[in-house]
Amino acid sequence: MCRTMAANDAFTAGVRPGGLTDSTEIRLLLCYLVKNAGPITRTEIENALMEEQLVNYFEIGSCLDDITRQQLVTLKEDRYSITEKGRKVAQELAYDLPRSVRERAVAAVLRSQTWARKEAEYSARITEKSDGHCSIRCTIKALDQELFCLDIGTPDRLSADLVKKQFILKGNEIYQMLITKLTE
């Protein structure tokens, strides 16, 4: 049996129950996010909404293009900002969206933005060796210079991914602890 999609139906692949499957609702959510967390990059929006499985990946891009074309948001230097027209839409209509969706989306965007800021300062690059072992080069940058560098070996990729994530999240704590121990 073949079903034709209604004009506002969105793709639902990757969307958990309770996520958004209506293009109008997705555009409202995007306006709400840009209003509350902007200026924001497309990557930060995609990472946040995909992590929470609130919206299909392809719908995010399509609806961002729509709200930019409708002048609800502007795109400048790779960041979306809300316009006055978009602010009104977000204030008047976004509360039609489920509260849980709004809260999860904003929390996920804030996590994504925090991660992006930390990743710019704390980085970890994994190199996998032929025997399956991995080497992780952890660095901290300050004022566009490498302030700290540490190479760590792990027995497998899973461990390396965990070390990378924890270093990006806690690089400052690790650096401070190491400097304290080295200068005692």
Side-chain angles (χ1 to χ4, degrees):
M1 178 158 107
C2 187
R3 176 176 95 81
T4 55
M5 281 182 48
N8 284 338
D9 283 352
F11 291 108
T12 59
V15 180
R16 77 164 80 172
L20 301 181
T21 58
D22 177 87
S23 296
T24 301
E25 288 180 336
I26 295 167
R27 288 190 293 270
L28 285 175
L29 178 63
L30 292 171
C31 285
Y32 181 80
L33 286 177
V34 173
K35 175 185 168 282
N36 289 293
I40 185 170
T41 67
R42 182 185 209 109
T43 302
E44 290 167 344
I45 293 170
E46 289 170 348
N47 289 345
L49 296 180
M50 295 301 297
E51 174 188 317
E52 290 294 320
Q53 298 176 327
L54 291 173
V55 179
N56 174 279
Y57 173 80
F58 298 104
E59 289 298 321
I60 296 169
S62 174
C63 290
L64 276 171
D65 293 343
D66 289 347
I67 64 174
T68 303
R69 220 177 2 266
Q70 295 167 0
Q71 298 179 337
L72 300 173
V73 298
T74 58
L75 180 60
K76 186 187 256 185
E77 295 178 16
D78 203 31
R79 293 191 169 278
Y80 290 92
S81 298
I82 198 77
T83 64
E84 192 53 41
K85 182 179 174 184
R87 185 178 314 282
K88 287 178 183 174
V89 166
Q91 286 173 332
E92 294 173 15
L93 300 175
Y95 292 94
D96 292 345
L97 298 172
R99 181 179 178 182
S100 62
V101 168
R102 291 191 320 265
E103 288 175 353
R104 284 187 4 234
V106 169
V109 163
L110 294 175
R111 280 192 309 273
S112 178
Q113 288 175 322
T114 299
W115 178 264
R117 278 192 305 276
K118 285 187 175 211
E119 204 170 27
E121 191 173 347
Y122 309 106
S123 66
R125 191 180 70 242
I126 298 172
T127 304
E128 197 162 348
K129 300 181 179 178
S130 60
D131 65 357
H133 287 80
C134 292
S135 173
I136 306 102
R137 182 174 176 83
C138 303
T139 57
I140 298 176
K141 293 182 182 173
L143 303 173
D144 290 331
Q145 291 186 344
E146 194 174 276
L147 175 67
F148 172 80
C149 176
L150 176 66
D151 286 316
I152 302 171
T154 62
D156 56 35
R157 182 64 188 222
L158 187 62
S159 301
D161 287 334
L162 182 60
V163 168
K164 176 181 178 175
K165 180 180 179 183
Q166 290 301 315
F167 182 78
I168 291 170
L169 288 173
K170 299 177 181 176
N172 190 46
E173 293 172 45
I174 294 165
Y175 176 71
Q176 287 181 355
M177 186 175 61
L178 187 60
I179 290 298
T180 300
K181 287 293 181 187
L182 291 173
T183 57
E184 282 181 335

